[in-house]
């Protein structure tokens, strides 16, 4: 039976594999093309496969490598910084064309500082 030795590595690996799977699903409609004639889906798919492979490596380290003795335990998520950074990315995406780059950067920095 497999024993989880480092739950932080396991969680990080699962997150990377999940992001890679989502990238593959969302880039499914883009034509890939060939190496000499790349389509718009070539690079996103290649990066998703690389990210998924690294996620599997990190995931396996959760079962094989012991956690450092001074590592903090896995606790609950810090929701405030996660939501503030997500909001900053969304503000940047929505304001860039409407308000211009300078105002967009100022508002994005202010929101991410929350």
């Amino acid at each position: 039976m497999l024993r989880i030795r480092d739950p932080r590595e396991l969680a990080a690996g699962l997150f990377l594999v999940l992001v890679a799977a989502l990238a593959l699903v969302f880039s499914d409609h883009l034509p890939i093309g060939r190496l000499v004639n790349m389509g718009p889906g070539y690079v996103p798919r290649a990066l998703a496969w690389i990210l998924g492979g690294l996620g599997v490596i990190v995931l396996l380290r959760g079962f094989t490598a012991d956690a450092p003795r001074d590592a903090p335990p896995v606790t609950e998520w810090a929701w405030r910084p996660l939501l503030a950074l997500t909001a900053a990315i969304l503000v940047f995406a929505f304001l860039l064309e409407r308000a211009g780059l300078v105002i967009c950067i100022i508002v994005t920095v202010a929101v991410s500082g929350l």
Side-chain angles (χ1 to χ4, degrees):
M1 179 148 183
L2 290 174
R3 191 183 84 146
I4 299 172
R5 295 178 178 227
D6 192 355
R8 296 174 307 138
E9 294 277 340
L10 182 71
L14 285 173
F15 178 74
L16 293 175
V17 169
L18 176 70
V19 169
L22 287 173
L24 286 173
V25 167
F26 288 132
S27 67
D28 188 38
H29 67 283
L30 298 172
I32 299 172
R34 297 185 315 261
L35 185 61
V36 294
N37 188 14
M38 293 182 199
Y42 190 88
V43 173
R45 285 237 175 121
L47 291 176
W49 280 108
I50 292 170
L51 184 66
L54 291 174
V56 169
I57 292 171
V58 172
L59 180 80
L60 291 176
R61 280 185 47 89
F63 291 110
T64 59
D66 288 327
R69 295 195 186 276
D70 60 344
V74 177
T75 60
E76 64 184 52
W77 287 47
W79 288 103
R80 185 175 175 199
L82 182 65
L83 292 175
L85 291 177
T86 303
I89 292 169
L90 292 174
V91 164
F92 184 84
F94 288 124
L95 281 182
L96 184 59
E97 287 186 5
R98 292 169 179 82
L101 184 61
V102 175
I103 293 176
C104 182
I105 289 174
I106 293 170
V107 173
T108 302
V109 170
V111 170
S112 65
L114 297 175

